[in-house]
Amino acid sequence: MRHALLPVLVLLGVLLGGCSNDETVFHTRFFALGTLIEISIYGANPTLAARASEQLEQDLLTLQTSWHAWQPGALSDINAQLASLQVFIPDPDMLPLLQEAHRLSKLSQGLFNPVIGQLIAQWGFHDNPLPIGTLPDSDSIAALVAQAPTVEDISLTDTQLATRNPAVRYDLGAFAKGYAIDRAIEKLREFGIENAIINAGGDLRAIGQHGDRPWRIGIRQPRKSGILASIEIDGDTSVFTSGDYERFFEVDGKRYHHIIDPRSGYPADRTISVTVVHDNAATADAAATALFVAGPESWVEIARSMHIGLVMLIDSNGVIHMNPAMQSRIHFEPDSTAEIKLSEPLS
Ligand code: AMP
Ligand code: MG
């Protein structure tokens, strides 16, 4: 199968028990940021909820253009200017996003690396899939890995950007969705909305209350249909999953997926999926990708350095790794027989 994109809704479903009074629920869905966005608002005036949702849809559609790594927009302009190796003044609206990406990349010890756009393009995960049955040229991958683009190669001030590393190109695919959800939640709060969930293709952030019960979030089985487990959340919580089933192709029976280990230039192959629960969606998104790359050996170290408190990682043998705090929050489906390996507490 080439670049199979599984139906987004089943990636990580929200198992909502429903709210006792239907009039207090407003629900809408639309496509943005390359996925299905679902907004559910509780306990708000329906006219206000509809107005806020329309505003969010406009905002997310605008961000989708600005933050795209290769279609024309603010980020692709920045990438073009980086290639010139000159100092330049980027679109000021982009600076907070880039600064946050740099901060998270450093915390992840470079495993979430938002400047490996050229590597990702080599793997055909931008607009140009590789011909069926082929892999990228190994010399080109090796050359990019040797150039080792990292955020440390970029000088980023409050107004200016510059790099001396010609291999640096932004791809914010591992974190922009989370950052966009955080912005959308801020916007809802500006509208006076306190109880809501924004679900972007299975990755989500919830705020406030869901009637008088917690939100129940389903975590999908990575290798078959259905739910592996569920987790109850309330208050202000984000749940993000990175999986090797989201975008991949196969050559000679081996799966090549879209999460690249910047150290090797190849897809990280010790992990199948990682779920991170954290308050802030941008951090949860970047961390899910970083811990996927870290794999079963070093996810604990990277979770600690990123200040993440709740993690579940499924390794390539199907073993489920998690920290004790996660174990106390998660409920596995009765038919789950996977081996569970508990880590030391993360904090
Ligand atoms: P996610 O689904 O959040 O794990 O993001 C995966 C996307 O992030 C990929 O489609 C690439 O665009 C990009 N990406 C892949 N590997 C990395 C990495 N190690 N660090 C940062 N971004 C990455
Ligand atoms: Mg991510």
Side-chain angles (χ1 to χ4, degrees), residues 112 173-176 203 240-242 259 282 284-290:
F112 159 65
F175 135 99
D203 294 321
F240 272 70
T241 296
S242 283
I259 302 173
D285 195 355
T289 308

Side-chain angles (χ1 to χ4, degrees), residues 51-69:
R51 209 148 47 83
S53 298
E54 270 166 36
Q55 179 70 56
L56 255 52
E57 182 171 353
Q58 290 310 316
D59 290 354
L60 292 173
L61 289 171
T62 307
L63 297 183
Q64 154 178 309
T65 312
S66 304
W67 297 357
H68 212 282

Side-chain angles (χ1 to χ4, degrees), residues 32-238:
L33 305 171
T35 193
L36 181 68
I37 310 275
E38 294 185 271
I39 301 176
S40 307
I41 295 173
Y42 295 81
N45 172 302
T47 314
L48 178 77
R51 209 148 47 83
S53 298
E54 270 166 36
Q55 179 70 56
L56 255 52
E57 182 171 353
Q58 290 310 316
D59 290 354
L60 292 173
L61 289 171
T62 307
L63 297 183
Q64 154 178 309
T65 312
S66 304
W67 297 357
H68 212 282
W70 63 94
Q71 286 172 6
L75 191 66
S76 67
D77 285 352
I78 288 174
N79 275 337
Q81 302 237 51
L82 284 170
S84 74
L85 303 183
Q86 305 291 318
V87 179
F88 64 98
I89 298 178
D91 179 341
D93 289 346
M94 296 296 287
L95 287 166
L97 168 77
L98 301 183
Q99 277 155 349
E100 185 60 0
H102 284 215
R103 189 183 73 82
L104 290 166
S105 183
K106 289 173 190 164
L107 288 180
S108 79
Q109 303 180 26
L111 300 187
F112 159 65
N113 184 335
V115 295
I116 55 167
Q118 294 211 61
L119 264 179
I120 293 159
Q122 285 283 324
W123 280 98
F125 291 118
H126 284 174
D127 248 355
N128 48 346
L130 300 171
I132 289 177
T134 66
L135 293 175
D137 173 47
S138 56
D139 290 342
S140 308
I141 298 288
L144 282 172
V145 170
Q147 287 175 294
T150 74
V151 296
E152 313 276 358
D153 297 326
I154 300 178
S155 120
L156 176 60
T157 69
D158 285 343
T159 52
Q160 290 185 337
L161 255 179
T163 186
R164 292 215 178 105
N165 186 338
V168 159
R169 294 291 183 285
Y170 283 109
D171 176 320
L172 302 177
F175 135 99
K177 192 160 73 170
Y179 194 90
I181 290 180
D182 287 338
R183 284 204 14 184
I185 291 284
E186 269 172 43
K187 180 71 81 179
L188 285 181
R189 286 183 165 144
E190 281 166 24
F191 273 92
I193 291 168
E194 296 297 338
N195 308 303
I197 188 160
I198 302 180
N199 179 357
D203 294 321
L204 55 91
R205 177 168 168 184
I207 52 166
Q209 302 294 319
H210 167 228
D212 54 3
R213 57 184 116 170
W215 314 90
R216 199 150 69 86
I217 310 298
I219 300 172
R220 64 155 283 175
Q221 291 273 9
R223 286 287 180 269
K224 51 185 184 183
S225 61
I227 297 294
L228 169 71
S230 63
I231 181 161
E232 289 186 350
I233 60 169
D234 52 17
D236 192 356
T237 310
S238 306

